[in-house]
Amino acid sequence: MNLVGLFVHSKFRIGVVLLLTAIPAIVAASPAIQDVRIASQTDSTRVVFELNETAKQKIFTLNNPLRVVIDLANTNLNTPLPDGMGLVKSLRSASHDGVLRVVLDINGSADLQSSWLEANSDYGPRLVLDLQRTGTMREGVPAVLPPIAAVNSSANSSNNSSSSLNASVDPQPIKTLPANVGNSRELVIAIDAGHGGEDPGAIGRHGLREKNVTLAIARLLKDRIDAEPGMHAMLTRDGDYFVPLRDRIDRARQFKADMFISIHADSVKDRSVTGSSVYTLSGKGATNEAARWLADRENAADLVGGVSLDNKNNLLASVLLDLTQGASMSASLDAAARVLQHLDSVGDVHHSDVQQAGFVVLKSPDIPSMLVETAFISNSDEEARLSAPKHQAQLADAILAGVREYFYVNTPPGTRLAQIKATRQARNN
Ligand SMILES: [Zn+2]
């Protein structure tokens, strides 16, 4: 008995030893770039390198042609580099003696600021490079809160570094989206077809997939919005592929969307439930999101025309966020109520008031956003209707009617729609 006990015991020990020797091998894995993201506003471009762990880095600039060089020790590149955008003409990479070198070719002259952001629950550690155009007028920046540039604090955190790039080449204009007509811009409506790719969304009893219905309605809505004078639509996805929720709002922001509309179809166990609902972001969702943006200043930068909030103190940053979020939430409610009213004439309405929830896609603090549950795919009648092109078109018409009404009442100045309204009023007088 004793012998057997000893034997078992020592076998157990061997197991433990093996396990312990395996751990250092995992820890010693070299850093790797997992994702590279680039975003651009009128006068600023941000490049984010997301790694699995931090790497020793050296960042410097070279002239003729102007470029930023990032050397990362002992690092692998596990993702393709994106195309250039804004101030970054192109990105390329090479490896020498265990050092990964990434080179950004720069358009024009710019200030460079770089920093490491710690890993959080959503992202690994990120090396963030911000390029801010210098030597150009700042008036053209479509910032939600224009005074931000004037209240720049000099209190940089210690792991940040700044330098100025002086270019010999002339600054080139950044491609603006969408096309501007004269001096006025078109309103941009971001349409988000829910789900996609490996995420089918809800599935009806007869096999209708939510991801296909949402895309069909989104495309019909896009056609209608594009046909409206002064309006232009973009789709967060235009095919059957998966787009992470946060990427959907990031895309809308890249296109400087004036409104975000997410299209879905509802589903519940009780198959008798029918009707459409419209959601905007709940107060709790907004509060949580503000805390998130404040905790992760990388994201908050995009809120104020691409100007980083990294250097702003907490109070100033939270005041700016509050103002932006408050305005967006009341605009969202107004527009959502109009859309709901028009949906009421197409079919059943499940909730007669705009509902509030913490859906991720509604969380852009600076873009009025709504989520439309067009009908219940779990109900057989509504499933049949949702698959019919005629009904899809009616839903798109109703959403368009609500959006159009909202923007004719709340017309942002400087837009082509504002010009159209002014011309009509002059004609009527
Ligand atoms: Zn859905």
Side-chain angles (χ1 to χ4, degrees):
M1 290 294 273
N2 230 343
L3 204 65
V4 173
L6 257 177
F7 178 72
V8 170
H9 190 238
S10 61
K11 206 175 152 194
F12 175 69
R13 269 219 196 136
I14 290 166
V16 171
V17 170
L18 284 177
L19 188 69
L20 284 175
T21 53
I23 290 168
I26 296 165
V27 172
S30 58
I33 296 178
Q34 311 282 28
D35 191 22
V36 182
R37 300 184 282 272
I38 183 164
S40 201
Q41 301 270 343
T42 307
D43 271 336
S44 64
T45 299
R46 163 166 287 196
V47 186
V48 179
F49 299 91
E50 184 175 355
L51 284 84
N52 55 345
E53 60 181 281
T54 52
K56 269 196 182 147
Q57 98 285 350
K58 203 166 85 186
I59 300 172
F60 56 97
T61 60
L62 294 170
N63 267 316
N64 299 319
L66 187 67
R67 55 210 192 272
V68 176
V69 179
I70 304 134
D71 281 343
L72 294 163
N74 196 28
T75 300
N76 294 314
L77 181 62
N78 286 355
T79 181
L81 293 171
D83 290 338
M85 180 188 276
L87 290 164
V88 177
K89 209 188 297 173
S90 58
L91 297 91
R92 54 204 154 88
S93 70
S95 266
H96 290 294
D97 300 329
V99 174
L100 173 69
R101 170 165 288 189
V102 179
V103 179
L104 314 181
D105 294 298
I106 306 301
N107 275 320
S109 58
D111 283 329
L112 171 69
Q113 189 172 71
S114 62
S115 55
W116 277 98
L117 293 170
E118 282 174 29
N120 59 28
S121 56
D122 294 327
Y123 301 106
R126 285 141 294 154
L127 176 61
V128 180
L129 270 72
D130 279 317
L131 291 150
Q132 181 77 38
R133 187 184 294 287
T134 50
T136 51
M137 300 281 283
R138 303 269 311 139
E139 277 81 352
V141 179
V144 178
L145 297 157
I148 188 83
V151 289
N152 222 332
S153 146
S154 60
N156 284 358
S157 64
S158 58
N159 62 340
N160 287 4
S161 66
S162 298
S163 65
S164 217
L165 303 179
N166 290 304
S168 47
V169 279
D170 286 334
Q172 290 175 10
I174 296 169
K175 197 174 137 204
T176 54
L177 292 163
N180 286 337
V181 178
N183 283 327
S184 57
R185 66 178 187 89
E186 296 204 304
L187 288 165
V188 180
I189 316 296
I191 307 169
D192 175 52
H195 312 279
E198 61 257 42
D199 168 20
I203 300 176
R205 191 185 265 175
H206 304 286
L208 184 66
R209 285 163 178 248
E210 182 183 354
K211 66 173 182 179
N212 298 331
V213 175
T214 59
L215 184 58
I217 297 170
R219 285 174 171 158
L220 291 169
L221 181 56
K222 178 179 168 26
D223 290 346
R224 283 156 173 74
I225 287 172
D226 286 342
E228 282 290 312
M231 290 192 196
H232 174 84
M234 53 91 44
L235 296 173
T236 59
R237 74 171 172 100
D238 191 12
D240 186 16
Y241 46 85
F242 177 74
V243 181
L245 297 176
R246 290 275 172 190
D247 287 8
R248 294 167 187 254
I249 55 182
D250 288 350
R251 283 178 196 192
R253 185 166 295 103
Q254 272 177 31
F255 280 79
K256 302 184 183 113
D258 294 278
M259 181 166 285
F260 183 95
I261 303 167
S262 190
I263 314 275
H264 285 256
D266 228 335
S267 175
V268 280
K269 255 197 174 138
D270 180 354
R271 294 191 182 271
S272 68
V273 177
T274 60
S276 35
S277 314
V278 182
Y279 289 84
T280 60
L281 185 61
S282 63
K284 187 162 176 264
T287 306
N288 292 344
E289 188 62 4
R292 192 189 130 107
W293 285 74
L294 285 172
D296 188 353
R297 299 292 175 83
E298 178 216 340
N299 288 324
D302 295 336
L303 283 181
V304 282
V307 178
S308 174
L309 284 184
D310 284 0
N311 306 332
K312 313 293 174 290
N313 70 45
N314 269 325
L315 181 64
L316 174 59
S318 68
V319 167
L320 292 171
L321 272 174
D322 274 356
L323 287 171
T324 309
Q325 259 188 337
S328 295
M329 284 172 75
S330 57
S332 303
L333 259 180
D334 184 338
R338 293 171 197 274
V339 167
L340 185 63
Q341 200 188 341
H342 288 277
L343 284 169
D344 198 9
S345 60
V346 176
D348 282 352
V349 162
H350 181 54
H351 294 288
S352 54
D353 294 319
V354 173
Q355 302 296 295
Q356 296 189 319
F359 294 125
V360 170
V361 289
L362 297 176
K363 289 187 170 180
S364 299
D366 53 346
I367 306 175
S369 303
M370 72 178 85
L371 185 145
V372 180
E373 296 279 10
T374 48
F376 278 86
I377 204 167
S378 47
N379 175 272
S380 288
D381 289 346
E382 293 207 334
E383 180 187 5
R385 253 188 285 164
L386 279 174
S387 68
K390 193 184 157 201
H391 189 69
Q392 292 172 352
Q394 285 174 337
L395 289 165
D397 283 336
I399 297 168
L400 170 74
V403 170
R404 192 208 285 124
E405 200 178 279
Y406 171 80
F407 279 116
Y408 271 86
V409 175
N410 307 278
T411 316
T415 56
R416 219 178 118 206
L417 192 64
Q419 271 188 347
I420 293 166
K421 265 176 66 178
T423 312
R424 279 184 197 169
Q425 271 162 12
R427 216 185 285 148
N428 292 341
N429 287 341

